Amino acid sequence: MPITTNLFDYFEQIEGHEQTHAPWAARAPRRPSPHFDLMLVPRSRAWQQDADSLQVLEELEAEPWVDSVMRHGDRVNVRLADRWIESTGAALEAGGGAEAALADLARAQRFAVQFWDANATKALHVGHLRNLALGNALAAALAQGGGEIERRSLISDAGRSMGEAMAGVMRSGRHAQSWPDGDQKSDHFVGVCYADYVAAGGMFAGEIEEPGDSLTREIRLQHDAADDLLNRVMQGDSEALELWFKTRAWVISGQRKTLARLGIAFDRVFFESDFLSDAAELTAAGLRDGRLRRREDGVIIYETAVEDLEEMPLVRPDGLTTQHMRAVAYWMSAPGLENVTTLQICGTEWVSHATCINKLMTELKLPGNGRVHPMHDIFHGMVSRQKRAVTSSAGDGALLIDDLVEWIDQRIDADPASAEIRAAHPSPERVPAQVALGYFLPYPAIPAVDFDPEKLLREGESLGWDLVRARASRGAQGARSGTRPAEDPDYRFAVVQSELYRRHLRLAVERYDLTPLALYLRHLARWHLERGRSSHVEHVVHTLLDRSARGLGLEGGR
């Protein structure tokens, strides 16, 4: 095996003469061992009588990068050659050898990663934060694997909630004003106006808990200021359009400031209103073909044959489209998706809706992007606080991302030890964002996360804070500083961990699963924090920590 070949790839590729699959799988130990660097797991239980398994072990012992292959009963361990350890480690110590060898994992592949997808009616809260963390991390992992990535988002600006936000802003009396510098954030202001208007309407006195709640408001005609304003916008009324543009601009401007604070940027942002003419054409075609039906109350629906959502409302009696129809129009008409793998990050509360939307798009079969998009829906559980879901029009019930980041900032400043850690971090200004975004990444995507802000800065309970602490620990040295690097089990362990990274990144590229990569980083950071290490170990580990932070989108920028 050439010295540049990844260790774990080698064991997946090597085959015996009689088999079509590799007879051994390599595993890295969880802790350093003074005796071995790798553990081999046989594919065959009877490996001791299997000619291919034994042959591979013999070939392995002859490799120049292997010092010895040790057989202890049913166990097989491998100690790597000191020369290979030190050669690989030297490149890592110099800050090289980290990412160039990863770029083949998704080379020549194009991806559009769709996330954020917020309403133009309010500020972003921690319910959005999990979506942002996962979407941003997945895009970063695919890019680190060599993929060509476009980060996309679709802003909801044409539904009932937009009319409610406009009506709330008008009721405030500030609709005729420009936004003053130094005042409260504009998205916070619009969000309060929106929540107050919804609450005053009496239809939902508290939080909107499920997609069905907002959908009910969207299809039910209220004949109120919100309905009137939205209809006037669709008819081209100049005063209503001015209010619509202003309300939308205030919210998007504020949300972009929040995203910038998190270090998240998008390549293309679309508005649902950009696709209303496409929605009208699709609706007309669906009615002609009999795939859509107009109910007696005037609502145009799609009969899904899906138990959770038997009838999917698409168009209101007054001709305004629902979020379902606007999503169909976007995905069937959005530009730039030819020969692109499309991934959409969304909450599990939308599973039935996404299923029915995809089903409808396959039936419409109109010319567009060549196939049904998104090609992959990646769902994540909701975020709750004290077991109560954090949702979109939550008023006082939602913790805003801006407030959370500010809280993290203040808590760090208030604690001298935490402030010292931030000062020693290579990017001190990025610390609050790394803490906030990193928190969600080790959790399996589907279950809900009960979010407690106090955990964000607790050692051992927050990936983001553990990573910040580990990256700030530069300069500490353990007792082995003067020994040859390969004689230090910690050094050998760190070098092998560098090889293991590729396996976890590949899972993110092939399965769109970030959890193994996040758990790898968490284990590495916590191990490094246990005690001081030699300068050689420290240099290797910091290269790995920096690479992992970039691979999970925690560094900011591109």
Side-chain angles (χ1 to χ4, degrees), residues 261-422:
R261 198 169 187 181
L262 294 173
I264 297 175
F266 287 83
D267 302 296
R268 300 187 75 172
V269 176
F270 300 91
F271 293 98
E272 288 182 344
S273 56
D274 296 336
F275 301 94
L276 293 180
S277 60
D278 300 289
E281 292 178 12
L282 290 166
T283 301
L287 289 171
R288 277 197 313 269
D289 296 344
R291 300 188 185 281
L292 307 182
R293 177 173 67 84
R294 190 185 301 273
R295 293 190 318 210
E296 290 184 2
D297 62 0
V299 176
I300 296 176
I301 64 167
Y302 168 58
E303 295 176 331
T304 68
V306 175
E307 183 177 355
D308 292 343
L309 187 62
E310 294 181 354
E311 291 185 349
M312 185 167 70
L314 300 174
V315 184
R316 300 189 340 168
D318 61 357
L320 294 177
T321 55
T322 68
Q323 188 171 357
H324 294 142
M325 192 67 233
R326 298 192 298 272
V328 169
Y330 167 72
W331 283 113
M332 295 193 72
S333 309
L337 295 182
E338 297 82 4
N339 302 314
V340 174
T341 299
T342 48
L343 311 167
Q344 176 176 237
I345 317 297
C346 57
T348 51
E349 68 273 22
W350 295 100
V351 169
S352 296
H353 301 260
T355 300
C356 294
I357 287 170
N358 288 342
K359 187 171 185 289
L360 173 59
M361 289 192 292
T362 60
E363 293 185 16
L364 289 174
K365 296 180 182 176
L366 292 181
N369 288 314
R371 60 180 305 166
V372 173
H373 297 277
M375 295 163 61
H376 304 278
D377 285 302
I378 300 169
F379 295 106
H380 60 81
M382 298 184 73
V383 178
S384 61
R385 294 186 67 194
Q386 298 178 335
K387 307 301 182 181
R388 187 181 186 189
V390 175
T391 52
S392 288
S393 59
D396 292 337
L399 176 61
L400 300 183
I401 294 176
D402 292 322
D403 295 339
L404 177 66
V405 173
E406 188 65 32
W407 178 86
I408 295 170
D409 215 17
Q410 293 172 356
R411 288 291 292 267
I412 291 174
D413 282 344
D415 176 42
S418 297
E420 184 178 349
I421 288 170
R422 171 155 61 180

Side-chain angles (χ1 to χ4, degrees), residues 157-167 217-218 224-237 240-241 243-244 273 276 316 318 320-321 326:
D157 67 337
R160 163 74 188 183
S161 62
M162 192 68 203
E164 291 166 338
M166 294 165 61
R217 292 196 349 276
E218 192 168 49
D224 60 355
D227 276 356
D228 177 64
L229 284 167
L230 203 53
N231 276 290
R232 286 168 56 194
V233 167
M234 299 307 158
Q235 293 164 12
D237 179 89
L241 280 169
L243 176 60
W244 180 63
S273 56
L276 293 180
R316 300 189 340 168
D318 61 357
L320 294 177
T321 55
R326 298 192 298 272

Side-chain angles (χ1 to χ4, degrees), residues 161-196:
S161 62
M162 192 68 203
E164 291 166 338
M166 294 165 61
V169 169
M170 178 169 281
R171 181 178 289 178
S172 76
R174 297 184 68 171
H175 59 286
Q177 306 172 17
S178 59
W179 196 258
D181 293 335
D183 204 344
Q184 73 181 119
K185 279 187 80 224
S186 51
D187 53 337
H188 292 199
F189 166 72
V190 175
V192 171
C193 294
Y194 164 62
D196 286 348

